[in-house]
Amino acid sequence: MLQTTLLLSLVIIHATLGCTPPYNTWIDGNCYYSYSSYTTISWPAAAENCKGRDATLASIHGSQENADFLKLAKEDTLQETKRGYWIGLRCDGKKFYWEDGSFVDYTNFGDSTYKCNTTSTDLHFYMNWDDGKWYRDVNWDWYGRAYVCKKNYRPEDSICEEYELVSDTKTCLSLRSDSMDSKDAENSCTYTGGHLAAIHDNTVNDYIRRSAVSNNLLNGVLIGLKQSGNDLTWNDNTTVNYTNFAKNFPNSSLGSCFAMQTSSLAGEWVNVQCGGTSATPTKLPYACTMPAYDLPDEMETSECPIDTYYSDGDMIYSPSFPSPNNTNSCEYLIVGPEGAKNMQVEVVFFETNRCCDSLTIYEGIAGAQKIATLAGSTYNGNIYKSANGPAMRLVYNVQSGAHVRGWQLKVKAIK
């Protein structure tokens, strides 16, 4: 029988490999999240909040980075009080250091008298809203300011971001040990780009079971299957083409959600309570899945494409995708086939430095009417359509390209 094991905090068992919401890629491939003026807090509280998100108060390593940081922080915060932003600069009694452990190779003090020595270890700094200068705040332990958390990140050979690729499949998995009901677990999965697990073959089913056992999750894990009458659906709306029910299941009288029995070698599925007015929801650890990005078989050339025309069904890749550090700006033209009324592009994967690299989508193959400008890493799954005919133009402007993988788009004709 499935039993509920209540754990105190969410634990994502697989390591984070990318900038997932609420973080965005700002500068040099690193992940940032800015907190608005409505949550201005003291330096210790800000540092603790960042630590709780596996991050630190931001470090800054150059004048251009300082300017980019201030610009993007202002764009993301409602800073009516203009109190500025706590940063992670500290003093250990001998030298300045950053909270994230990086070397202090740049400073932008608004007061030239700031020194780090044995009498000045209790230093805490903020960035001024107006000019980006850094100032000491003697009231750091209670005065409220906005702040930005930063994760130092570099792309790895992963197509699943913070999930783990299940070998020999196109499924990305994240197994989570906190006990939740199906609704809260689904919300947690969607927060990181996935859904409660959709299972389409025995390989993924067995991998989830073995991963659960190796992490001592022996009382079962929630999956994303739901039952309504005789109908079965996955939360991600993919086709139910594989099932692994225990004997005498499914049985909707026991609940309309499902969990995998991880204590059995077969990893069979049973009904559990989703929750509601007349039933206590079943709370268990859970598995999240999302599809692996459809990456090209080989790395794209670092040069702009010779054939710049694309049409229905084509994939468009940025130069060098998915390898980081591309520096080429390119233009792409999309023209629909005969009978097409409009064209659209779907963002399969997108990761650029928001400070410096952007992809602008225009109506038609000439002209300046913008459909959208994309910069950062928060667009996966978005769709952009032309409104004035079956043609679009893409302009990729790269000023940095550092430590980001670029993008992949899928073209579709609308008839």
Side-chain angles (χ1 to χ4, degrees), residues 31-299:
C31 309
Y32 296 79
Y33 180 57
S34 54
Y35 291 76
S36 76
S37 62
Y38 297 123
T39 55
T40 53
I41 57 177
S42 66
W43 193 99
E48 187 64 25
N49 282 0
C50 291
K51 183 179 179 181
R53 291 182 174 272
D54 194 29
T56 63
L57 286 171
S59 61
I60 299 168
H61 298 279
S63 58
Q64 186 60 54
E65 183 175 334
N66 195 79
D68 290 336
F69 177 93
L70 181 61
K71 174 180 178 292
L72 295 173
K74 284 183 175 181
E75 289 178 1
D76 279 7
T77 54
L78 302 172
Q79 188 71 338
E80 289 87 353
T81 57
K82 298 185 178 181
R83 292 181 173 183
Y85 304 90
W86 293 120
I87 58 176
L89 188 66
R90 298 296 310 280
C91 168
D92 64 5
K94 296 181 180 179
K95 63 182 183 302
F96 288 110
Y97 69 95
W98 289 108
E99 284 280 293
D100 63 9
S102 58
F103 182 68
V104 179
D105 50 5
Y106 165 81
T107 58
N108 191 36
F109 294 131
D111 186 334
S112 61
T113 65
Y114 295 147
K115 306 294 181 184
C116 178
N117 51 49
T118 55
T119 62
S120 58
T121 57
D122 207 19
L123 300 180
H124 298 76
F125 293 89
Y126 69 95
M127 178 184 289
N128 183 270
W129 166 274
D130 293 315
D131 59 8
K133 295 289 186 181
W134 308 350
Y135 293 92
R136 178 188 180 187
D137 191 340
V138 296
N139 298 316
W140 57 272
D141 57 343
W142 64 268
Y143 191 75
R145 300 187 188 279
Y147 60 104
V148 176
C149 296
K150 176 183 178 182
K151 292 183 181 181
N152 293 314
Y153 159 70
R154 293 292 180 268
E156 304 288 346
D157 294 329
S158 171
I159 57 176
C160 291
E161 299 202 351
E162 74 169 40
Y163 289 45
E164 178 178 339
L165 181 66
V166 179
S167 298
D168 301 320
T169 76
K170 288 191 174 183
T171 297
C172 303
L173 172 71
S174 178
L175 186 63
R176 305 185 180 184
S177 61
D178 191 28
S179 291
M180 294 186 179
D181 62 39
S182 292
K183 180 180 179 181
D184 289 341
E186 172 67 12
N187 288 338
S188 177
C189 292
T190 57
Y191 186 74
T192 54
H195 292 275
L196 269 176
I199 303 172
H200 297 287
D201 55 55
N202 190 63
T203 300
V204 173
N205 196 79
D206 185 57
Y207 191 91
I208 292 174
R209 185 199 65 79
R210 288 187 289 108
S211 297
V213 171
S214 66
N215 286 282
N216 202 34
L217 305 179
L218 304 179
N219 295 312
V221 294
L222 296 173
I223 59 175
L225 191 66
K226 285 189 176 180
Q227 182 176 6
S228 177
N230 293 323
D231 295 330
L232 297 169
T233 57
W234 290 112
N235 283 7
D236 67 357
N237 294 317
T238 52
T239 302
V240 180
N241 55 5
Y242 167 85
T243 58
N244 190 38
F245 296 118
K247 186 177 180 180
N248 298 323
F249 287 89
N251 183 349
S252 60
S253 66
L254 299 177
S256 57
C257 290
F258 286 86
M260 178 189 295
Q261 292 180 314
T262 53
S263 59
S264 71
L265 290 176
E268 293 174 324
W269 310 347
V270 297
N271 293 74
V272 295
Q273 291 290 350
C274 299
T277 57
S278 61
T280 301
T282 302
K283 293 185 177 182
L284 287 167
Y286 55 101
C288 306
T289 58
M290 66 178 183
Y293 298 119
D294 188 15
L295 298 180
D297 294 332
E298 298 180 358
M299 185 180 72

Side-chain angles (χ1 to χ4, degrees), residues 13 95 204 216 232-233 258 303 324 350 363 374 379 394 400:
I13 294 169
K95 63 182 183 302
V204 173
N216 202 34
L232 297 169
T233 57
F258 286 86
E303 303 299 324
F350 200 93
E363 288 275 3
L374 316 184
Y379 304 98
L394 312 180
S400 168

Side-chain angles (χ1 to χ4, degrees), residues 326-344:
N326 163 66
T327 58
N328 283 325
S329 298
C330 302
E331 184 171 298
Y332 308 79
L333 304 177
I334 299 173
V335 179
E338 184 177 353
K341 294 181 179 179
N342 302 98
M343 298 299 290
Q344 75 172 38

